[in-house]
Short mmCIF file of all heavy atoms in Angstrom, two decimals:
data_model
loop_
_atom_site.label_atom_id
_atom_site.label_comp_id
_atom_site.label_asym_id
_atom_site.label_seq_id
_atom_site.Cartn_x
_atom_site.Cartn_y
_atom_site.Cartn_z
N ASN X 35 -3.67 44.89 -19.88
CA ASN X 35 -2.27 44.52 -19.89
C ASN X 35 -1.84 44.25 -21.33
O ASN X 35 -2.52 43.58 -22.06
CB ASN X 35 -2.04 43.25 -19.07
CG ASN X 35 -1.76 43.59 -17.63
OD1 ASN X 35 -1.58 44.75 -17.30
ND2 ASN X 35 -1.74 42.58 -16.79
N PRO X 37 -0.09 42.32 -24.11
CA PRO X 37 0.26 40.92 -24.24
C PRO X 37 1.75 40.83 -24.06
O PRO X 37 2.52 41.62 -24.60
CB PRO X 37 -0.10 40.57 -25.67
CG PRO X 37 -0.23 41.88 -26.39
CD PRO X 37 -0.56 42.90 -25.37
N SER X 60 17.19 18.67 -18.29
CA SER X 60 15.94 18.01 -17.94
C SER X 60 15.08 18.99 -17.15
O SER X 60 15.53 20.03 -16.70
CB SER X 60 16.23 16.80 -17.08
OG SER X 60 16.73 17.23 -15.82
N TYR X 62 14.07 18.54 -14.27
CA TYR X 62 14.62 18.59 -12.92
C TYR X 62 15.80 19.55 -12.84
O TYR X 62 15.92 20.31 -11.87
CB TYR X 62 15.04 17.17 -12.49
CG TYR X 62 15.29 17.06 -11.02
CD1 TYR X 62 14.23 16.98 -10.12
CD2 TYR X 62 16.58 17.03 -10.51
CE1 TYR X 62 14.44 16.88 -8.76
CE2 TYR X 62 16.80 16.91 -9.14
CZ TYR X 62 15.73 16.83 -8.27
OH TYR X 62 15.94 16.73 -6.93
N ARG X 65 14.39 22.96 -12.69
CA ARG X 65 13.81 23.24 -11.36
C ARG X 65 14.92 23.60 -10.37
O ARG X 65 14.78 24.50 -9.56
CB ARG X 65 13.06 22.03 -10.83
CG ARG X 65 11.76 21.75 -11.59
CD ARG X 65 11.03 20.59 -10.95
NE ARG X 65 10.69 20.89 -9.58
CZ ARG X 65 10.51 19.97 -8.64
NH1 ARG X 65 10.62 18.68 -8.93
NH2 ARG X 65 10.23 20.33 -7.41
N GLY X 81 4.57 21.56 -11.33
CA GLY X 81 3.30 21.87 -11.98
C GLY X 81 3.40 23.09 -12.90
O GLY X 81 2.51 23.32 -13.70
N TYR X 84 6.95 21.35 -15.91
CA TYR X 84 6.70 20.27 -16.87
C TYR X 84 5.63 20.62 -17.91
O TYR X 84 5.83 20.39 -19.09
CB TYR X 84 6.39 18.95 -16.11
CG TYR X 84 7.60 18.40 -15.39
CD1 TYR X 84 7.72 18.49 -14.01
CD2 TYR X 84 8.67 17.87 -16.10
CE1 TYR X 84 8.84 18.01 -13.35
CE2 TYR X 84 9.80 17.39 -15.45
CZ TYR X 84 9.89 17.46 -14.07
OH TYR X 84 11.00 16.99 -13.43
N LEU X 106 19.83 5.54 -13.29
CA LEU X 106 18.81 6.28 -12.57
C LEU X 106 17.51 6.26 -13.33
O LEU X 106 17.43 5.80 -14.46
CB LEU X 106 19.25 7.73 -12.38
CG LEU X 106 20.37 7.97 -11.39
CD1 LEU X 106 20.90 9.38 -11.52
CD2 LEU X 106 19.87 7.73 -9.98
N ARG X 107 16.52 6.80 -12.68
CA ARG X 107 15.25 6.93 -13.38
C ARG X 107 15.47 7.74 -14.64
O ARG X 107 16.28 8.65 -14.68
CB ARG X 107 14.24 7.63 -12.49
CG ARG X 107 12.85 7.59 -13.09
CD ARG X 107 11.81 8.24 -12.19
NE ARG X 107 10.53 8.27 -12.86
CZ ARG X 107 9.42 8.80 -12.36
NH1 ARG X 107 9.45 9.32 -11.15
NH2 ARG X 107 8.30 8.80 -13.01
N ARG X 108 14.75 7.41 -15.68
CA ARG X 108 14.95 8.08 -16.97
C ARG X 108 14.83 9.60 -16.84
O ARG X 108 13.95 10.12 -16.16
CB ARG X 108 13.95 7.55 -18.01
CG ARG X 108 12.60 8.24 -18.05
CD ARG X 108 11.68 7.73 -16.96
NE ARG X 108 10.38 8.41 -16.99
CZ ARG X 108 9.52 8.35 -16.00
NH1 ARG X 108 9.80 7.67 -14.90
NH2 ARG X 108 8.38 8.98 -16.07
N ARG X 109 15.69 10.29 -17.53
CA ARG X 109 15.66 11.75 -17.61
C ARG X 109 15.26 12.14 -19.02
O ARG X 109 15.78 11.58 -19.99
CB ARG X 109 17.06 12.31 -17.37
CG ARG X 109 17.49 12.48 -15.96
CD ARG X 109 19.01 12.55 -15.84
NE ARG X 109 19.64 13.51 -16.76
CZ ARG X 109 19.83 14.80 -16.48
NH1 ARG X 109 19.43 15.28 -15.33
NH2 ARG X 109 20.41 15.58 -17.35
N ARG X 110 14.34 13.13 -19.11
CA ARG X 110 14.03 13.63 -20.44
C ARG X 110 14.85 14.88 -20.66
O ARG X 110 14.67 15.88 -19.96
CB ARG X 110 12.55 13.98 -20.52
CG ARG X 110 11.72 12.95 -21.26
CD ARG X 110 10.28 13.37 -21.23
NE ARG X 110 9.92 14.21 -22.40
CZ ARG X 110 8.77 14.84 -22.50
NH1 ARG X 110 7.89 14.78 -21.53
NH2 ARG X 110 8.51 15.55 -23.57
P DT C 34 18.47 15.99 0.79
OP1 DT C 34 19.64 16.82 1.11
OP2 DT C 34 17.07 16.51 0.91
"O5'" DT C 34 18.65 15.43 -0.69
"C5'" DT C 34 19.75 14.56 -0.98
"C4'" DT C 34 19.56 13.99 -2.36
"O4'" DT C 34 18.61 12.89 -2.32
"C3'" DT C 34 19.02 14.98 -3.39
"O3'" DT C 34 19.91 14.93 -4.49
"C2'" DT C 34 17.63 14.48 -3.71
"C1'" DT C 34 17.82 12.97 -3.48
N1 DT C 34 16.60 12.16 -3.24
C2 DT C 34 16.45 10.96 -3.88
O2 DT C 34 17.29 10.51 -4.66
N3 DT C 34 15.31 10.26 -3.62
C4 DT C 34 14.28 10.66 -2.76
O4 DT C 34 13.31 9.93 -2.61
C5 DT C 34 14.49 11.92 -2.12
C7 DT C 34 13.43 12.45 -1.17
C6 DT C 34 15.60 12.62 -2.37
P DC C 35 19.80 15.80 -5.75
OP1 DC C 35 21.17 16.15 -6.13
OP2 DC C 35 18.78 16.85 -5.54
"O5'" DC C 35 19.22 14.77 -6.83
"C5'" DC C 35 20.04 13.68 -7.24
"C4'" DC C 35 19.21 12.74 -8.11
"O4'" DC C 35 18.09 12.26 -7.31
"C3'" DC C 35 18.62 13.40 -9.35
"O3'" DC C 35 18.92 12.59 -10.48
"C2'" DC C 35 17.12 13.43 -9.07
"C1'" DC C 35 16.96 12.23 -8.14
N1 DC C 35 15.74 12.30 -7.29
C2 DC C 35 14.82 11.28 -7.33
O2 DC C 35 15.01 10.31 -8.07
N3 DC C 35 13.70 11.35 -6.54
C4 DC C 35 13.53 12.41 -5.73
N4 DC C 35 12.45 12.44 -4.98
C5 DC C 35 14.49 13.47 -5.66
C6 DC C 35 15.57 13.39 -6.46
P DA C 36 18.83 13.14 -11.89
OP1 DA C 36 19.43 12.13 -12.80
OP2 DA C 36 19.34 14.51 -11.91
"O5'" DA C 36 17.25 13.19 -12.08
"C5'" DA C 36 16.59 12.04 -12.63
"C4'" DA C 36 15.09 12.20 -12.63
"O4'" DA C 36 14.53 12.14 -11.30
"C3'" DA C 36 14.49 13.53 -13.15
"O3'" DA C 36 14.36 13.46 -14.56
"C2'" DA C 36 13.15 13.60 -12.44
"C1'" DA C 36 13.17 12.43 -11.46
N9 DA C 36 12.55 12.75 -10.17
C8 DA C 36 12.93 13.69 -9.24
N7 DA C 36 12.14 13.79 -8.21
C5 DA C 36 11.15 12.83 -8.48
C6 DA C 36 9.99 12.44 -7.77
N6 DA C 36 9.60 12.96 -6.61
N1 DA C 36 9.23 11.45 -8.33
C2 DA C 36 9.59 10.94 -9.50
N3 DA C 36 10.67 11.21 -10.25
C4 DA C 36 11.41 12.18 -9.68
P DT C 37 13.50 14.52 -15.35
OP1 DT C 37 13.86 14.32 -16.76
OP2 DT C 37 13.59 15.83 -14.72
"O5'" DT C 37 12.00 13.97 -15.16
"C5'" DT C 37 11.69 12.66 -15.63
"C4'" DT C 37 10.24 12.39 -15.40
"O4'" DT C 37 9.94 12.49 -13.97
"C3'" DT C 37 9.31 13.41 -16.07
"O3'" DT C 37 8.38 12.74 -16.89
"C2'" DT C 37 8.64 14.13 -14.91
"C1'" DT C 37 8.68 13.06 -13.81
N1 DT C 37 8.54 13.61 -12.44
C2 DT C 37 7.54 13.13 -11.64
O2 DT C 37 6.78 12.25 -11.98
N3 DT C 37 7.43 13.74 -10.42
C4 DT C 37 8.25 14.76 -9.93
O4 DT C 37 8.04 15.23 -8.81
C5 DT C 37 9.30 15.20 -10.81
C7 DT C 37 10.23 16.29 -10.36
C6 DT C 37 9.40 14.62 -12.02
P DG C 38 7.73 13.45 -18.08
OP1 DG C 38 7.21 12.45 -19.02
OP2 DG C 38 8.55 14.56 -18.57
"O5'" DG C 38 6.50 14.10 -17.28
"C5'" DG C 38 5.36 13.40 -17.40
"C4'" DG C 38 4.64 13.24 -16.07
"O4'" DG C 38 5.31 13.78 -14.92
"C3'" DG C 38 3.36 14.04 -16.06
"O3'" DG C 38 2.44 13.38 -16.92
"C2'" DG C 38 2.97 13.94 -14.60
"C1'" DG C 38 4.33 13.70 -13.89
N9 DG C 38 4.59 14.66 -12.82
C8 DG C 38 5.61 15.58 -12.74
N7 DG C 38 5.60 16.25 -11.62
C5 DG C 38 4.50 15.73 -10.92
C6 DG C 38 3.99 16.05 -9.64
O6 DG C 38 4.40 16.89 -8.82
N1 DG C 38 2.88 15.28 -9.31
C2 DG C 38 2.34 14.32 -10.12
N2 DG C 38 1.26 13.69 -9.67
N3 DG C 38 2.81 14.00 -11.31
C4 DG C 38 3.89 14.75 -11.66
P DT C 39 1.22 14.28 -17.37
OP1 DT C 39 0.72 13.60 -18.59
OP2 DT C 39 1.54 15.73 -17.37
"O5'" DT C 39 0.18 14.04 -16.18
"C5'" DT C 39 0.00 12.77 -15.58
"C4'" DT C 39 -1.03 12.95 -14.48
"O4'" DT C 39 -0.43 13.65 -13.35
"C3'" DT C 39 -2.22 13.79 -14.94
"O3'" DT C 39 -3.38 13.17 -14.41
"C2'" DT C 39 -1.94 15.17 -14.32
"C1'" DT C 39 -1.18 14.81 -13.06
N1 DT C 39 -0.22 15.84 -12.58
C2 DT C 39 -0.35 16.28 -11.28
O2 DT C 39 -1.19 15.88 -10.51
N3 DT C 39 0.58 17.21 -10.90
C4 DT C 39 1.60 17.75 -11.67
O4 DT C 39 2.38 18.59 -11.20
C5 DT C 39 1.66 17.27 -13.03
C7 DT C 39 2.73 17.78 -13.95
C6 DT C 39 0.77 16.34 -13.41
P DA C 40 -4.81 13.69 -14.87
OP1 DA C 40 -5.62 12.46 -15.04
OP2 DA C 40 -4.67 14.66 -15.97
"O5'" DA C 40 -5.31 14.46 -13.58
"C5'" DA C 40 -5.37 13.78 -12.32
"C4'" DA C 40 -6.10 14.66 -11.34
"O4'" DA C 40 -5.19 15.64 -10.81
"C3'" DA C 40 -7.25 15.46 -12.00
"O3'" DA C 40 -8.28 15.55 -11.03
"C2'" DA C 40 -6.60 16.80 -12.31
"C1'" DA C 40 -5.61 16.95 -11.14
N9 DA C 40 -4.40 17.73 -11.47
C8 DA C 40 -3.71 17.81 -12.66
N7 DA C 40 -2.66 18.58 -12.62
C5 DA C 40 -2.64 19.04 -11.32
C6 DA C 40 -1.75 19.91 -10.65
N6 DA C 40 -0.68 20.48 -11.20
N1 DA C 40 -2.02 20.18 -9.34
C2 DA C 40 -3.08 19.60 -8.77
N3 DA C 40 -3.99 18.76 -9.32
C4 DA C 40 -3.70 18.53 -10.59
P DC C 45 -5.78 38.28 -9.80
OP1 DC C 45 -4.74 39.00 -9.03
OP2 DC C 45 -7.20 38.60 -9.59
"O5'" DC C 45 -5.46 38.42 -11.34
"C5'" DC C 45 -4.18 37.96 -11.83
"C4'" DC C 45 -4.26 37.71 -13.31
"O4'" DC C 45 -5.17 36.64 -13.56
"C3'" DC C 45 -4.76 38.89 -14.13
"O3'" DC C 45 -3.73 39.26 -15.04
"C2'" DC C 45 -6.01 38.38 -14.82
"C1'" DC C 45 -5.81 36.86 -14.81
N1 DC C 45 -7.07 36.07 -14.85
C2 DC C 45 -7.27 35.15 -15.88
O2 DC C 45 -6.37 34.99 -16.71
N3 DC C 45 -8.42 34.44 -15.91
C4 DC C 45 -9.36 34.64 -14.99
N4 DC C 45 -10.48 33.91 -15.07
C5 DC C 45 -9.19 35.59 -13.93
C6 DC C 45 -8.04 36.29 -13.90
P DT C 46 -4.04 40.45 -16.11
OP1 DT C 46 -2.74 41.11 -16.33
OP2 DT C 46 -5.26 41.20 -15.75
"O5'" DT C 46 -4.38 39.61 -17.42
"C5'" DT C 46 -3.41 38.71 -17.96
"C4'" DT C 46 -3.87 38.30 -19.36
"O4'" DT C 46 -5.06 37.47 -19.24
"C3'" DT C 46 -4.25 39.48 -20.24
"O3'" DT C 46 -3.68 39.30 -21.53
"C2'" DT C 46 -5.78 39.47 -20.24
"C1'" DT C 46 -6.11 37.99 -20.03
N1 DT C 46 -7.36 37.74 -19.28
C2 DT C 46 -8.26 36.81 -19.75
O2 DT C 46 -8.07 36.19 -20.78
N3 DT C 46 -9.37 36.63 -18.98
C4 DT C 46 -9.68 37.26 -17.79
O4 DT C 46 -10.72 37.01 -17.20
C5 DT C 46 -8.71 38.24 -17.35
C7 DT C 46 -8.97 38.99 -16.07
C6 DT C 46 -7.61 38.43 -18.10
P DT C 47 -3.90 40.47 -22.63
OP1 DT C 47 -2.69 40.47 -23.46
OP2 DT C 47 -4.37 41.70 -21.94
"O5'" DT C 47 -5.13 39.93 -23.47
"C5'" DT C 47 -5.14 38.58 -23.92
"C4'" DT C 47 -6.42 38.31 -24.68
"O4'" DT C 47 -7.50 38.03 -23.76
"C3'" DT C 47 -6.89 39.47 -25.56
"O3'" DT C 47 -7.18 38.94 -26.83
"C2'" DT C 47 -8.13 40.00 -24.85
"C1'" DT C 47 -8.65 38.78 -24.11
N1 DT C 47 -9.39 39.00 -22.85
C2 DT C 47 -10.47 38.19 -22.54
O2 DT C 47 -10.86 37.32 -23.30
N3 DT C 47 -11.08 38.45 -21.35
C4 DT C 47 -10.73 39.42 -20.43
O4 DT C 47 -11.36 39.55 -19.39
C5 DT C 47 -9.59 40.23 -20.79
C7 DT C 47 -9.13 41.29 -19.86
C6 DT C 47 -8.99 40.00 -21.96
P DA C 48 -7.60 39.96 -28.04
OP1 DA C 48 -7.16 39.31 -29.28
OP2 DA C 48 -7.25 41.34 -27.72
"O5'" DA C 48 -9.19 39.83 -27.96
"C5'" DA C 48 -9.76 38.52 -27.79
"C4'" DA C 48 -11.25 38.65 -27.59
"O4'" DA C 48 -11.53 38.90 -26.17
"C3'" DA C 48 -11.92 39.82 -28.34
"O3'" DA C 48 -12.98 39.26 -29.10
"C2'" DA C 48 -12.40 40.76 -27.27
"C1'" DA C 48 -12.60 39.82 -26.08
N9 DA C 48 -12.56 40.48 -24.77
C8 DA C 48 -11.70 41.45 -24.34
N7 DA C 48 -11.90 41.84 -23.10
C5 DA C 48 -13.01 41.07 -22.69
C6 DA C 48 -13.73 41.02 -21.49
N6 DA C 48 -13.47 41.78 -20.42
N1 DA C 48 -14.75 40.15 -21.42
C2 DA C 48 -15.03 39.37 -22.50
N3 DA C 48 -14.42 39.34 -23.69
C4 DA C 48 -13.41 40.23 -23.71
P DC C 49 -13.83 40.21 -30.11
OP1 DC C 49 -13.98 39.41 -31.34
OP2 DC C 49 -13.32 41.60 -30.14
"O5'" DC C 49 -15.27 40.24 -29.38
"C5'" DC C 49 -15.88 38.98 -29.08
"C4'" DC C 49 -16.89 39.18 -28.00
"O4'" DC C 49 -16.28 39.82 -26.86
"C3'" DC C 49 -18.07 40.08 -28.40
"O3'" DC C 49 -19.24 39.28 -28.34
"C2'" DC C 49 -18.08 41.20 -27.36
"C1'" DC C 49 -17.27 40.62 -26.20
N1 DC C 49 -16.58 41.60 -25.33
C2 DC C 49 -17.02 41.75 -24.00
O2 DC C 49 -17.96 41.05 -23.60
N3 DC C 49 -16.39 42.63 -23.19
C4 DC C 49 -15.36 43.35 -23.65
N4 DC C 49 -14.77 44.20 -22.80
C5 DC C 49 -14.90 43.22 -25.00
C6 DC C 49 -15.53 42.34 -25.79
#
Side-chain angles (χ1 to χ4, degrees):
Chain X
N35 270 352
S60 67
Y62 195 76
R65 290 184 60 206
Y84 291 107
L106 288 168
R107 189 178 176 181
R108 87 279 179 195
R109 277 159 51 87
R110 258 178 90 190

